Each structure stands twice: as C-alpha cells, then as structure tokens.
Amino acid sequence: MQKTQEFIQKNSERFLEELFELLRIPSVSADPAHKGDVQKAAESVKSHLQNAGAENVEVCQTKGHPIVYGEKIIDPSLPTVLVYGHYDVQPADPIELWDSPAFEPVVKKTDVHPEGAIFARGACDDKGQMFMHIKALEAMVKSDELPCNAKFMIEGEEEVGSENLEIFIKENKEKLEADIILVSDTGIISNEHPSITTGLRGLSYVEVEVTGPNRDLHSGLYGGCVANPINVLSDMIAQLQDDKNRITIPGFYDDVEILSQEERDEMARAPYSEEEYKKEIDIKEVQGEEGYSTRERGSIRPTLDVNGMWGGYTGEGAKTVLPSKAYAKISMRLVPHQDPEKITQLFKSYFESIAPDSVRVEVKPHHGAQPAVTPIDSAGYKAASNAMEKSFGKKPIPLRSGGSIPIVALFEEVLGLKTVLMGFGLNSDAIHSPNENYGLFNYYKGIETIPYFYSEFAELNK
Ligand code: BES
Ligand code: MN
Ligand code: MN
C-alpha cells in the first residue's frame, strides 16, 4: 500500500476541497423542502464514485430519497468489501447557535483538534466519514493496489430510519453479494485511544399527544378547575422512571441482555475519565440507572428520553392560557434482544393506562431500529484491528456504542453479512448539534487506515 499512501499524501488538499463541495449541499433528509438538495447530494456522490474509478455507478430511486450504488470488481474470485454510509444529514437547527453557517464548511483549530477541524453539518456524520472511503478507493485504484473487490451502497435516509434501504437490500440480494460490510459512521474513544464499535443500540420512538379541554382556556377563569394537559403530560413523563432511574413500563426489561461480570470488568478497563466527560459538556453531576457506570448506562443498558416537548404559549412575553393540547417526542434506546415493536406496544399500553380521566392521550409510533452486536473473532474485525494498529500504532479496543444505525441488524438478517463498524469520530464532534465538526487528523487517519483494511481482509481470506 506504499503507492496508495503516497497518493493520499500528495492529494490531501484536493481530498479536503472535494469534501467541502459535498458539505455545501444541505441534504437534510427529514425536511421535504430539501428534497432537491438530497437528490443533488446523491448525484454528487455518484460522480465522486465514478471519478474514483468505480463502475456501474447508479443513483437508484426509491419511494423516498435515492441510494447510490457503485462497484469495482477486479476479480470475482477475490473477496468483496461492501461499504455502507449515508450522505443525508440531520437538520441544522437551531441555526442561531452555529458559530459559522452549517453548510459553509470551514477549518478551525480547537482544543481537541489543534491541527484543525472541519465545521459543517455532516462533517463527521456521515459525509466526512463516508467520503474517506471514496478517497481511499480512488487512492487504491489509481495506484493499482486495490487488493480485492469493492462495492458501495450510500443512502440518503439513514437519519430518518432507512425504511427504503430495507426494501432495496431485500430486492437486490445478488447485486449486494459480499464477504463483509464496512461502515464508518461511529467513533473512537480518542485520537490516542483507537477503538472499534462492537454494538449499536436499537430504538423505539413515539410521539404522544395529550388533549384536555376542546379549546385553549383563560387560565384565570379555568385554571385550577380543569386539567392542564402540559401539567398532566409532565406528571405522566415523570412516572416513566422511578427514583432509581429505572424505566417503570411493565415488561420493559424482560428481554434485556444481561452481561456477565467478566464482560463488565472488561468494559471498565477502557480508558475513560468521568471528570473530562463532565467538563466537556459542562455538567456538575452525571445521572442514570442505579448500579451501572456512565459507560454502561450509555451502551449496554436501555434508556428513555424526552427529545422535545411543546404546547401552549411559547412566544414573546406572557399570555395567560390553559392549553388544549400538549405534545412530546420520546425515544427509548434498546439493547440486544429487546424488540422495538414490542417495546413501542408496551409503552403505548402503559402510557394510556396512567392517563387520568381528565385528558385523552394518543401515542403515535415513529420509525425504530433493531439493536446489533458485531463479533470480535471474525475476519472483518481482525482486519479492522490490524489496520488501525498499523495507522494508529496502537491496538484498538472493542467497545459498544450507545447510538443506532437501523440497517446494521438487517444486513445480517437479509444479506447474511457481518458488519465492521470502523468509525473515526469523537464524542466531542457534536454530531446532530450546532457546530458539528470533524478533525482533520480523523479525516486523514480514516483515509490512511481504510486501504490497510482492504489488504488485511484480502490476506485473511486467502
Ligand atoms: N452515525 C449515527 C449513529 C452513531 C453515532 C452510532 C455515533 C455510534 C456512534 C447515525 O447517523 C444516527 O444518528 N443514528 C440515529 C438513528 C436514526 C434512526 C435516526 C441515532 O442514533 O439517533
Ligand atoms: Mn450517521
Ligand atoms: Mn446521525
């Protein structure tokens, strides 16, 4: 991979400019107003794949946003790496909290990234990380060092649940035949401590609506006499967790995977500083389920969080009103063996059962995701571990993550393929937040590491 690495060095500036072009397209999948931009981003990914040397590149339309497919088959008898990533991004809101515009990428130095970081929505999640794979492919192809076959499947609906990708993989099993799926859409512990993600949590997401009186009422004339839906909703939400921060929904923990003490001890050996954790997000104290560490609460235990809550008057000044309705969006992160649909049903029944007669409640389920765990004894994991050891000079440690990537469980179920989650982001990258950023170190380290993955994987499959 000598020539490949030299090619990367020589072209590093161009590799950054090209990523900037992609970051300038506001491909927000959740917002219908950006439908054209999402299509534009797909076309851009297509041409980057073609320029990198991929063949049969196509923008595959779906009922929602398109999927970009491309491949470089050098010899059908060699193993095939299927790269998955997403070019869609989360909305940039609240835009007033960005220090520079979300879709005008710039490099700025930070405490975490003294060498500079790319600030833009999608810089890390996942345009920056996905693009590393296109550049690594280009470097290998142009240096004539691609050691096995490569396929690319880059979607535009990851941030909204990957529903059409599920249909796509079911309809294209043959086209997607491969030996391993490689994804960079997760993170590492720190730039000094590389790690490989070995688990993702599942997700159950609901929206609740609480209705009181048939219209907004004067809070002086009716307050104290009629149930206030916002007060009631707050009280119901408070009841979803007990004083040990355990979720009170009956049956919620029934299927939860219990880890052995050995596995928990192993996890606890990963480098981690609670002081730094608190400092970075400016909190005095952490909070979570009794009996578990912060690391465990954020990976191997299920959780419940209100993501947003609204109702009544939230404009300028004071308006005295007793609102007719209150709403909340609630997410539950799930761990292995918990089923999103079952959990959504349990939530619905319980939530309806705790509603007082003074209100009516409606629970609307949104998209969910299955949890996933990935083995550490597979050829894919070993290839990733060896590749990172080469580029970081340190053996990465396996670690489960708290986030979700809906399609990963289905890769195994539908395509029978294992996934390697070789991401390069940091928790401080502020993904889904204002000022999302991605270290230049991480961007280039990813491009450097990926070719090693290919050669290690080809070698291990000989
Ligand atoms: N890339 C993230 C997931 C992630 C980030 C996993 C960091 C591990 C470490 C992905 O784009 C994401 O945001 N997923 C959503 C799920 C989706 C259904 C909206 C999530 O986890 O909230
Ligand atoms: Mn992502
Ligand atoms: Mn995301």
Side-chain angles (χ1 to χ4, degrees):
M1 289 291 164
Q2 175 97 35
K3 281 200 280 173
T4 297
Q5 297 299 349
E6 281 167 18
F7 185 94
I8 294 168
Q9 294 262 313
K10 275 196 206 116
N11 291 277
S12 60
E13 257 173 56
R14 175 172 61 84
F15 284 4
L16 190 60
E17 283 157 24
E18 289 173 349
L19 171 59
F20 273 31
E21 275 167 42
L22 185 62
L23 291 171
R24 287 192 190 103
I25 308 171
S27 48
V28 180
S29 50
D31 186 350
H34 284 291
K35 196 168 165 57
D37 294 314
V38 180
Q39 180 75 34
K40 229 171 100 186
E43 296 293 343
S44 168
V45 171
K46 174 184 169 179
S47 69
H48 283 296
L49 272 171
Q50 281 169 331
N51 294 341
E55 287 152 10
N56 302 322
V57 187
E58 48 181 332
V59 171
C60 310
Q61 297 300 335
T62 71
K63 263 189 252 151
H65 301 304
I67 296 155
V68 187
Y69 177 83
E71 60 187 24
K72 181 74 184 170
I73 309 295
I74 54 166
D75 178 351
S77 69
L78 287 172
T80 301
V81 176
L82 172 56
V83 175
Y84 162 76
H86 63 96
Y87 65 81
D88 66 319
V89 298
Q90 286 276 330
D93 313 62
I95 51 168
E96 65 279 10
L97 296 183
W98 284 76
D99 296 331
S100 54
F103 298 104
E104 293 173 26
V106 282
V107 170
K108 287 185 271 188
K109 292 185 168 48
T110 69
D111 289 348
V112 184
H113 296 291
E115 81 295 350
I118 308 155
F119 281 80
R121 170 58 84 232
C124 170
D125 184 12
D126 180 41
K127 283 175 176 167
Q129 296 213 63
M130 174 276 290
F131 208 68
M132 301 181 315
H133 286 269
I134 301 184
K135 294 299 105 182
L137 176 75
E138 179 189 329
M140 289 186 285
V141 170
K142 299 208 170 142
S143 311
D144 229 351
E145 288 185 331
L146 182 66
C148 57
N149 305 311
K151 291 182 178 177
F152 276 70
M153 178 172 67
I154 312 299
E155 71 154 320
E157 298 193 316
E158 195 278 340
E159 300 291 7
V160 290
S162 300
E163 275 169 36
N164 290 298
L165 186 68
E166 178 173 350
I167 301 170
F168 183 82
I169 65 169
K170 284 180 176 154
E171 285 174 354
N172 290 279
K173 286 188 201 165
E174 223 164 283
K175 189 193 191 106
L176 300 173
E177 258 174 30
D179 296 276
I180 192 75
I181 292 175
L182 179 60
V183 183
S184 294
D185 194 23
T186 54
I188 49 176
I189 296 175
S190 70
N191 288 349
E192 292 73 43
H193 298 286
S195 54
I196 297 174
T197 303
T198 51
L200 293 164
R201 284 196 287 190
L203 183 69
S204 160
Y205 201 110
V206 294
E207 187 169 325
V208 299
E209 180 183 313
V210 176
T211 307
N214 60 3
R215 59 183 168 87
D216 285 2
L217 303 172
H218 189 288
S219 66
L221 299 181
Y222 289 94
C225 313
V226 174
N228 180 322
I230 301 181
N231 292 29
V232 171
L233 177 56
S234 307
D235 185 49
M236 290 171 72
I237 287 168
Q239 288 178 54
L240 296 174
Q241 269 149 319
D242 66 15
D243 55 358
K244 293 184 169 66
N245 287 306
R246 276 178 69 87
I247 295 149
T248 51
I249 300 167
F252 185 85
Y253 289 96
D254 282 1
D255 303 323
V256 166
E257 178 192 52
I258 307 294
L259 267 70
S260 69
Q261 193 55 46
E262 278 117 291
E263 282 172 288
R264 292 178 66 185
D265 291 346
E266 182 67 38
M267 266 186 78
R269 275 201 285 279
Y272 169 74
S273 156
E274 192 130 298
E275 282 318 304
E276 271 174 38
Y277 180 91
K278 291 192 286 192
K279 203 172 137 213
E280 206 246 320
I281 50 174
D282 197 17
I283 56 165
K284 270 205 211 122
E285 207 35 85
V286 294
Q287 188 209 274
E289 188 185 359
E290 198 174 282
Y292 294 92
S293 69
T294 301
R295 263 281 164 75
E296 292 174 330
R297 290 168 180 167
S299 62
I300 60 161
R301 298 299 295 168
T303 55
L304 182 149
D305 277 288
V306 178
N307 294 251
M309 198 170 163
W310 68 102
Y313 184 68
T314 55
E316 283 288 315
K319 177 189 176 194
T320 48
V321 64
L322 192 163
S324 162
K325 283 178 186 289
Y327 305 83
K329 290 185 194 275
I330 298 171
S331 70
M332 288 159 279
R333 294 281 169 176
L334 312 178
V335 297
H337 311 320
Q338 281 185 298
D339 176 52
E341 271 171 37
K342 179 175 165 191
I343 294 294
T344 300
Q345 272 313 314
L346 290 177
F347 176 93
K348 188 174 171 1
S349 313
Y350 183 60
F351 202 73
E352 285 166 357
S353 79
I354 60 172
D357 289 340
S358 52
V359 296
R360 278 167 289 139
V361 303
E362 201 185 324
V363 177
K364 292 180 217 152
H366 278 267
H367 57 75
Q370 295 280 352
V373 279
T374 59
I376 59 167
D377 56 0
S378 66
Y381 184 89
K382 282 180 198 147
S385 180
N386 294 348
M388 282 181 121
E389 192 171 353
K390 245 189 207 161
S391 62
F392 283 88
K394 206 180 264 175
K395 198 178 155 82
I397 58 169
L399 208 62
R400 289 204 203 179
S401 171
S404 312
I405 304 177
I407 202 69
V408 171
L410 290 162
F411 283 151
E412 173 126 40
E413 214 177 289
V414 179
L415 302 175
L417 290 175
K418 299 273 182 250
T419 298
V420 175
L421 297 163
M422 188 172 75
F424 295 86
L426 299 180
N427 275 355
S428 55
D429 291 344
I431 62 172
H432 295 203
S433 291
N435 302 313
E436 174 176 355
N437 64 93
Y438 191 42
L440 290 176
F441 171 88
N442 305 71
Y443 181 54
Y444 291 120
K445 190 56 81 182
I447 302 174
E448 177 192 341
T449 309
I450 293 162
Y452 292 139
F453 175 88
Y454 279 75
S455 56
E456 291 288 333
F457 189 71
E459 196 58 37
L460 287 165
N461 277 280
K462 260 194 182 145

